Amino acid sequence: MTTSTADTTQELAVFLRTRRERLDPDDFGLPTRRQSRRTPGLRREEVAELAGVSIDYIVRLEQARGLRPSANVVEALAKALRLAPDERSYLFDLAQQRPRTTEKAATTAPEPLARLVSGLSPLPAMLMNHRYDILAWNPEMASLLMDFGTLPPSRRNQMWLCLMHPEVRGFYADRELVVREAIAHLRAAWAAHPEDQVLAGFITEFTTQDELFARLWAERDIVLNGRGRKVLRRPDVGTLTVDFEVLMPLQDQDQRLVIYRAADEASQVALDRLCVR
């Protein structure tokens, strides 16, 4: 995958089609039509009617014929397709109708954020950019996952570690859920940063080298999760459960602060054992 305009146009076409096909016509109270339905979901003419645009316009969008819908049309399509908030944002990004930053992805942590990550000890914490590059971490996070400082900078990427690193990929009890949630964020980042060739390179690498990533990427789930729970399996201390929170600094909105905390007393004991070694 590259990040050319043609790619985002093609993704817009596929995204609109898959969202149309998942809808149940009975939920819309549309007039009964004589011809039987040979494909699932709404017909193109029904989406056109709901969105207030022509059938030809919907056809051209779904055929990736270079249209760039206006913000009003994108909003109408989002309502017609009953998109969830994260899906709506994704559609606006694909249509290039949200303001974009011209700044490149950060490769180092701003000093105030680096100090914050350090100061969050004893809670495990790390700072990442939109493509999951790990920019800063504290000793507790290094003890919980791995010492990121032993990796070359090009491999200090949380998605790469989860997919490719032989030790880290075995840490997660429900690895598919972890990868699925990460892909949702990565897909949203790709739509918001179509010029990021490094991110495009990561996606190509993951798609071609990891079957799980390729399968989940093709499903096009866009449900962003900023908090939750992960069960980790460490051979040295056993299984522990952590709650996580993802925060976005107001002045560095390309970056994400990730904070873990033990979900129960037994997990806290295991985390303490990891961190005192």
Side-chain angles (χ1 to χ4, degrees), residues 38-60:
R38 293 173 294 179
T39 58
L42 297 184
R43 295 189 176 95
R44 287 170 172 168
E45 57 266 30
E46 292 168 335
V47 173
E49 180 181 343
L50 291 168
V53 297
S54 69
I55 299 174
D56 179 66
Y57 193 85
I58 298 295
V59 171
R60 292 169 66 192

Side-chain angles (χ1 to χ4, degrees), residues 142-146 165-173 231-240 270-271 273-274 277:
S143 296
L144 179 61
L145 296 181
M146 69 169 300
H165 194 282
E167 183 179 351
V168 176
R169 62 180 285 144
F171 284 170
Y172 301 101
V231 180
L232 304 178
R233 296 180 297 201
R234 290 291 306 253
D236 41 4
V237 298
T239 300
L240 66 155
L271 185 60
R273 288 176 57 195
L274 282 171
R277 292 186 306 171

Side-chain angles (χ1 to χ4, degrees), residues 65-169:
R65 288 161 58 183
L67 292 181
R68 181 181 175 185
S70 68
N72 288 339
V73 170
V74 174
E75 183 63 38
L77 289 170
K79 290 180 179 179
L81 296 171
R82 298 187 176 180
L83 298 185
D86 292 333
E87 294 174 322
R88 177 182 175 277
S89 297
Y90 184 63
L91 183 63
F92 268 83
D93 281 332
L94 289 176
Q96 302 178 46
Q97 289 297 344
R98 287 209 299 177
R100 298 182 183 276
T101 177
T102 58
E103 297 179 2
K104 294 182 179 180
T107 56
T108 58
E111 183 58 30
L113 290 179
R115 291 200 305 270
L116 176 60
V117 170
S118 178
L120 284 168
S121 295
L123 295 176
M126 62 182 170
L127 183 73
M128 301 186 295
N129 63 16
H130 67 261
R131 58 187 181 224
Y132 280 86
D133 292 332
I134 302 167
L135 308 181
W137 61 93
N138 61 12
E140 289 78 9
M141 185 62 82
S143 296
L144 179 61
L145 296 181
M146 69 169 300
D147 184 359
F148 305 119
T150 63
L151 297 169
S154 62
R155 291 311 184 198
R156 292 176 195 163
N157 180 277
Q158 183 63 5
M159 192 83 229
W160 184 88
L161 291 170
C162 182
L163 293 172
M164 306 295 183
H165 194 282
E167 183 179 351
V168 176
R169 62 180 285 144

